[in-house]
Amino acid sequence: SESVFCFAMNCGKVLGGKNTSGYSTSFDAYDAKREKRIQIKCSASSGPTSFGPRSEYDERYFVDFKSSGKIDGTYKIYKLENEDIDSVKVNKKQSLVKQVGKLKNLYFFNQLGTFYNRTQRLRKLAVMIADQLNISKEKVEIASSICKADLVSDLVGEYPELQGIMGKYFAKAQGFEEDVSMAISDHYLPIGINSEVPKKPISIAVSLIDKIDILVGFFGINEKPTSSKDPFALRRTAIGLLRIITENNL
């Protein structure tokens, strides 16, 4: 089985850690080995038979499967400790907009500033890209502003693979619109050769902006890939940019 990071979204009522009649939900997960985000669906008929949240209320918590728990006989769910679950409950209540300011203490690259500097550049690019794609400037600007905010959350600090996934989860919990929330997760796509590309308009825009900023920034400070080295994965970023454009017929 392959280890994945997995958490529950929009959980139904859970009693005693067992599936209730008619229970169904889906889980966002990250397959660390294949570098792929996946969604796992689960119902009362198909299992699993023991799962979190450990609460009888309709809430959103991280899955707390036993270390041997499997879904579809393929994936082993990465077990999160109680303190991780507590951190998520705290983080999801912290305004993403206010968390952006904390990015001033998180460096992206020495000559390219902090992640706060990055979000400000993304905001400026948002207007131009939104005009080109004829979509909501406000939504693209909001998504661009908060798309890196989850980097300062406790769980992303411990598990960097959850960046974007956590941001989407927090955004939904805080009432952001669905397409804005999705863009926080989707703007990292594609994350591999066989990975899907963003398909929703706001997600496409933020992903394009993010990749343009990376390429222009590193080329601007003369950190270009060579025939033998590409330490900042700029080739992958460029290919991802081209795939988004071609596969969405932009």
Side-chain angles (χ1 to χ4, degrees), residues 7 28-29 37 143 146-147 150 161-169 171-172 178-191 196 198 203 206-207 211:
F7 63 94
D28 281 341
R37 288 185 175 83
I146 62 174
C147 67
D150 65 340
E161 296 91 339
L162 287 174
Q163 59 186 293
I165 293 177
M166 291 306 308
K168 178 179 72 173
Y169 172 72
K172 285 185 175 181
E178 177 73 16
D179 50 359
V180 171
S181 301
M182 288 296 297
I184 298 173
S185 174
D186 289 352
H187 87 277
Y188 288 103
L189 300 176
I191 53 177
E196 69 267 23
S203 296
V206 180
S207 188
K211 289 166 178 58

Side-chain angles (χ1 to χ4, degrees), residues 4-6 25-29 38-42 48 71-72 75 77:
V4 297
F5 298 101
C6 182
T25 190
S26 63
F27 303 98
D28 281 341
I38 58 176
Q39 185 177 74
I40 301 173
K41 293 186 177 180
C42 158
I71 296 179
D72 297 334
Y75 295 99
I77 302 307

Side-chain angles (χ1 to χ4, degrees), residues 19-156:
N19 283 10
T20 56
S21 177
Y23 176 89
S24 65
T25 190
S26 63
F27 303 98
D28 281 341
Y30 176 85
D31 186 327
K33 185 173 182 179
R34 297 185 177 87
E35 294 188 334
K36 182 180 180 182
R37 288 185 175 83
I38 58 176
Q39 185 177 74
I40 301 173
K41 293 186 177 180
C42 158
S43 67
S45 59
S46 63
T49 58
S50 180
F51 58 94
R54 290 169 297 176
S55 167
E56 62 180 5
Y57 301 103
D58 183 3
E59 269 289 356
R60 299 176 182 178
Y61 296 112
F62 271 71
V63 177
D64 188 26
F65 286 95
K66 295 178 180 179
S67 59
S68 60
K70 295 181 181 180
I71 296 179
D72 297 334
T74 303
Y75 295 99
K76 185 171 79 173
I77 302 307
Y78 193 92
K79 183 177 165 73
L80 298 174
E81 301 299 331
N82 290 341
E83 54 266 30
D84 294 323
I85 298 172
D86 291 338
S87 293
V88 172
K89 290 163 68 176
V90 171
N91 289 157
K92 79 171 186 178
K93 295 177 182 178
Q94 296 172 331
S95 168
L96 285 175
V97 175
K98 292 182 179 179
Q99 295 300 94
V100 171
K102 295 182 180 179
L103 294 173
K104 292 178 181 179
N105 301 317
L106 191 62
Y107 271 87
F108 172 59
F109 189 74
N110 188 34
Q111 293 172 268
L112 297 176
T114 64
F115 276 94
Y116 178 81
N117 298 135
R118 277 209 74 200
T119 60
Q120 300 311 297
R121 294 195 296 267
L122 299 183
R123 285 185 62 189
K124 292 178 181 178
L125 285 169
V127 176
M128 292 187 289
I129 293 294
D131 280 339
Q132 290 293 321
L133 299 179
N134 195 28
I135 57 178
S136 170
K137 294 179 184 178
E138 182 181 5
K139 286 186 176 183
V140 178
E141 189 171 2
I142 291 172
S144 299
S145 299
I146 62 174
C147 67
K148 306 296 183 184
D150 65 340
L151 295 178
V152 297
S153 67
D154 297 322
L155 205 58
V156 172

Side-chain angles (χ1 to χ4, degrees), residues 217-235:
F218 279 105
F219 273 79
I221 60 174
N222 205 33
E223 289 287 352
K224 304 172 184 177
T226 66
S227 58
S228 59
K229 294 181 180 179
D230 186 13
F232 305 110
L234 299 182
R235 289 191 183 90

